């Protein structure tokens, strides 16, 4: 004779706290819970409202520079270290956790335009308009206790003087070479005082350079002649050139999809392109109302952050055409550089008002250690919001962002101008011979031609 016994573990019924309710086993059969959708919709609505209430993305400002912050660089060895260079030639190493200067690197006589660190994080490369490239030994031991070493100065380990001013620099993700740009693209070895290779295509100033994270021999540059140029170090000449209608101020590769990159353009948009097919943009990211100055991808490659002349920092989904988040403060001026931290949790922005600002990448995220119960609840609320995000009320609350009045007015004016331009084009097409004015997709409209 078989006897079936209901056995339950004591641990499953033990409460985490004395105030907790006793655990109850529920039957989640939808036939027994006819009001479940209505209850979950209310929870999604409340979760969306609470997210807005607790959204406090701004953490703090780091002041110390006496001129506009022009460039920044991260250190792969240390999560809380970031370098910044300013228009007066001052370079600083910051401890983000303490929001203090750890070390200063004096020597540049003009604006610092390029900062980058080596793959191992031991070498800092800086260049600027004083036509010099300076190599610095990174004092990482001083990151242990900032109170003892704040404000120390460091001397360059090497100074290389060249023929022209520099506008940007970048180091290989896995290698010893680094690139500087200005009148031409120069490839340097840290152990040699002159470039090991130089590339030139036209006589215009090159503004920014980025190495491909997937292939250390490929790099991309943007120039003042409105071009994006791909270079291969294994070839003696540049590979491909893409000419757009307006200039790109900065470019950044997607670290998880190294064939794709995004360009921050002067026409207020960002363009995501595939290096294998440059005749049209994959996605056009809209939202800014003034020139986009800098761009940086998160380590996951799912999002990127942009800084603009319109005094805002925006976060875009890499597949989204509009920003999911807009950050601004009353005192923040034109943003020249932005960076994601290596853990993807924070953003750092450098602006014209001499300050670096630290932001949360998720505006309503709770800082500090979460209990397992709190984490489970947050995951449930996120899942409920995702499930009901298409419903009008939830969508309206999630999408709403408060904007400063000048940006709000500029966005309305820009929208009016675009609509007027579209109406004008539609009328021209209507009064022209059939087929004489073909409809051109917006993704191709800003690209003029590709030059091999």
């Amino acid at each position: 004779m078989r006897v079936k016994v209901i056995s339950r573990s004591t641990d499953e019924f033990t409460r985490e706290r004395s105030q907790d309710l006793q655990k109850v086993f529920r039957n989640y059969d939808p036939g027994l819970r006819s009001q479940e959708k209505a209850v979950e919709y209310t929870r999604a609505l409340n979760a969306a409202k609470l997210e807005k209430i607790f959204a406090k993305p701004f953490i703090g400002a780091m002041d110390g520079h006496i001129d506009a912050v022009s460039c920044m660089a991260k250190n792969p060895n240390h999560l809380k270290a970031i370098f910044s260079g300013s228009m007066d030639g001052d370079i600083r190493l910051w401890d983000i956790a303490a929001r203090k200067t750890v070390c200063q690197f004096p020597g540049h006589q003009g604006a610092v335009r390029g900062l980058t660190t080596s793959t191992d994080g031991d070498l800092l490369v800086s260049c600027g308009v004083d036509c010099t490239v300076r190599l610095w030994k990174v004092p990482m031991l001083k990151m242990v206790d900032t109170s003892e070493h704040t404000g120390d100065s460091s001397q360059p380990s090497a100074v290389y003087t060249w023929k022209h001013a520099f506008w940007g620099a970048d180091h290989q993700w896995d290698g010893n070479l680094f690139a500087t740009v200005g009148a031409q693209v120069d490839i340097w070895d840290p152990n040699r005082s002159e470039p090991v290779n130089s590339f030139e295509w036209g006589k215009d100033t090159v503004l920014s350079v980025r190495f491909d994270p997937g292939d250390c021999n490929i790099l991309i540059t943007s120039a003042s002649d409105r071009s994006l140029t791909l270079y291969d170090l294994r070839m003696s000449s540049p590979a491909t050139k893409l000419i757009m209608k307006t200039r790109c101020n900065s470019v950044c590769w997607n670290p998880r999809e190294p064939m794709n990159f995004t360009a921050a353009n002067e026409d207020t948009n960002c363009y995501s392109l595939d290096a294998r097919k440059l005749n049209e943009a994959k996605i056009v990211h809209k939202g800014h109302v003034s020139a986009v100055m800098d761009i940086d991808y998160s380590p996951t490659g799912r999002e990127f952050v942009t800084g603009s002349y319109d005094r805002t920092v925006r976060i875009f989904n890499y597949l989204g055409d509009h920003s999911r988040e807009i950050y601004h403060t009353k005192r923040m001026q034109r943003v020249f550089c932005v960076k994601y931290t290596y853990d993807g949790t924070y953003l750092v922005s450098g602006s014209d008002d001499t300050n670096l600002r630290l932001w949360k990448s998720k505006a309503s995220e709770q800082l500090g250690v979460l209990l397992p119960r709190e984490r489970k609840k947050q995951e449930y609320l996120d899942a409920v919001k995702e499930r009901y995000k298409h419903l009008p009320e939830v969508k309206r609350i999630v999408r709403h962002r408060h904007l400063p009045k000048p940006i709000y007015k500029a966005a309305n004016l820009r929208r009016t101008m675009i609509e007027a331009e579209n109406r004008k084009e539609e009328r021209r097409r209507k009064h022209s011979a059939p087929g004489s004015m073909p409809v051109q997709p917006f993704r191709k409209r800003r690209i003029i031609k590709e030059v091999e």
Side-chain angles (χ1 to χ4, degrees), residues 272-287:
S272 289
L273 298 113
D274 191 326
R276 302 164 298 183
K277 187 185 177 187
L278 293 171
N279 59 353
E280 71 171 302
K282 291 183 68 174
I283 301 167
V284 181
H285 310 275
K286 308 171 190 173

Side-chain angles (χ1 to χ4, degrees), residues 319-331:
L319 292 175
D321 55 349
H322 283 83
S323 59
R324 73 158 177 86
E325 206 63 76
I326 306 168
Y327 295 159
H328 54 85
T329 65
K330 285 184 178 178
R331 300 189 182 200

Side-chain angles (χ1 to χ4, degrees), residues 35-227:
Q35 296 297 311
E36 184 65 21
K37 283 190 177 179
V39 171
E40 282 200 338
Y41 171 71
T42 307
R43 286 176 184 163
L45 208 57
N46 291 337
K49 291 175 183 175
L50 286 170
E51 187 182 31
K52 290 283 167 264
I53 291 170
F54 293 115
K56 290 181 172 59
F58 180 64
I59 296 172
M62 297 179 277
D63 58 337
H65 286 294
I66 56 173
D67 209 339
V69 181
S70 55
C71 55
M72 290 191 297
K74 298 178 285 189
N75 194 310
N77 264 2
H78 217 285
L79 199 60
K80 62 176 184 173
I82 196 159
F83 300 93
S84 65
S86 72
M87 292 291 191
D88 63 348
D90 184 25
I91 302 171
R92 289 173 181 249
L93 169 60
W94 299 87
D95 182 353
I96 297 176
R99 299 209 286 276
K100 289 180 180 177
T101 303
V102 175
C103 185
Q104 288 181 262
F105 304 90
H108 280 284
Q109 300 302 312
V112 181
R113 284 294 182 179
L115 278 179
T116 183
T117 51
S118 60
T119 313
D120 56 10
D122 292 335
L123 185 70
L124 173 69
V125 180
S126 66
C127 60
V129 296
D130 58 355
C131 307
T132 61
V133 175
R134 294 171 187 263
L135 308 183
W136 313 81
K137 182 73 176 169
V138 177
M140 287 313 296
L141 292 175
K142 297 181 180 179
M143 295 297 294
V144 177
D145 185 6
T146 55
S147 59
E148 296 179 10
H149 304 279
T150 301
D152 285 2
S153 295
S154 181
Q155 295 301 319
S157 56
V159 180
Y160 305 144
T161 306
W162 199 229
K163 298 175 286 191
H164 52 76
F166 296 104
W167 280 82
D170 194 38
H171 200 283
Q172 285 180 324
W173 285 58
D174 186 16
N176 297 321
L177 303 178
F178 65 90
T180 58
V181 293
Q184 61 188 25
V185 179
D186 297 313
I187 310 299
W188 300 74
D189 188 313
N191 302 316
R192 298 183 61 176
S193 59
E194 289 192 357
V196 295
N197 205 349
S198 293
F199 297 98
E200 196 174 4
W201 194 341
K203 297 295 178 186
D204 291 271
T205 305
V206 185
L207 302 174
S208 70
V209 58
R210 288 289 178 99
F211 273 98
D212 189 340
D215 188 343
C216 60
N217 291 308
I218 294 175
L219 59 118
I220 188 169
T221 63
S222 65
S224 57
D225 64 349
R226 314 187 311 276
S227 69

